Amino acid sequence: MKRLFNYRFLLLLVGYALCISLLYSCSKDDDNDTADTYSSNSNDTNEEPALGRLEMPRVKGGNSVVLVHKTNDSYDVNYCVEWDKDKKAQRWSAYQLNSALCAHNTTRYKSDDNQYPNDPLIHTADRLSEDYIYGSGFDHGHLCPSADRLYSYMANYQTFFLTNMQPQYSNFNGSNKNASVNERSPWYRLEGQVRSWANSTTTEMLYVVKGGTIEDHQIIKRIGGKLIVPKYFFVALLLKNEQGYKAVGFWMEHVDSYAEKLPLANYAVNIRQLERLTGIDFFCNLPDDTEEHVETLPIENVKRAWGL
């Protein structure tokens, strides 16, 4: 009877391991933050090696440029932005996050003269001539949040560049402090959840892409007839741990108030669905088989894998 019990216990362990493996995808590039196996849709890294990082979406090209912000510290690349020179708006900000990058070694950048500086990497002709968010009634909505970059002064300062901003309603951004923290917007709660996932002792790296929609059919209006106000905001996440990779997307309508507090699971989509909604090819530098698996997993499996 004891031997039979041991066999049954062993079968249960094997079954549990198989269930977990269905939620993750393993790859041979576990020791690097760039893909080293075949990917048919990866970015060209000849001119800029940072385009091969795992958080980087497929670059749109044309009249869009990628701005790679570096801090000259041990982490080198702080975050990257794809900037549309025609629309004079950002398509996304992408960066890495883990417990080390979540360290609090500085305070939030503050300036009496220039709180939201122009990005030194973008030519004057390729940006708006003034800060149209200021005085508009909208918040300066960070895409790479200040709270995600407190490990150094320079890393935090760079998050305040206007190229990392999108205009957001204060209720959406979570700056409306009339509400308690637990009642603030889903976007605010999601940003906190992202940091919680990154800080987990089992997380090796969390690859983050965030943005607002800027195509004409997905905008609310243009401030001053120029600056785009997105109708939707999105987040794409790829998490790496000892089991492999898992991914999840979030899609939120940009609204001025929320009638009720909804769980974050209500906004979750798989990455393939987020790609259809945004027109962006996320995590293109993953090996093809890994990318296909983590991006197409049914949403109920995705929610279970992320504890949503």
Side-chain angles (χ1 to χ4, degrees), residues 2-35:
K2 184 175 181 180
R3 180 175 297 177
L4 179 61
F5 173 80
N6 287 340
Y7 283 143
R8 286 176 176 172
F9 182 71
L10 179 61
L11 287 172
L12 284 172
L13 288 177
V14 171
Y16 176 77
L18 286 173
C19 288
I20 291 295
S21 69
L22 291 174
L23 301 178
Y24 291 83
S25 181
C26 296
S27 177
K28 296 180 181 179
D29 66 329
D30 286 351
D31 295 328
N32 302 291
D33 67 352
T34 56

Side-chain angles (χ1 to χ4, degrees), residues 205-224:
M205 190 63 72
L206 185 63
Y207 304 95
V208 184
V209 188
K210 297 170 66 179
T213 56
I214 61 173
E215 301 301 336
D216 289 344
H217 67 289
Q218 291 181 323
I219 69 174
I220 294 174
K221 67 175 185 177
R222 291 175 183 264
I223 300 171

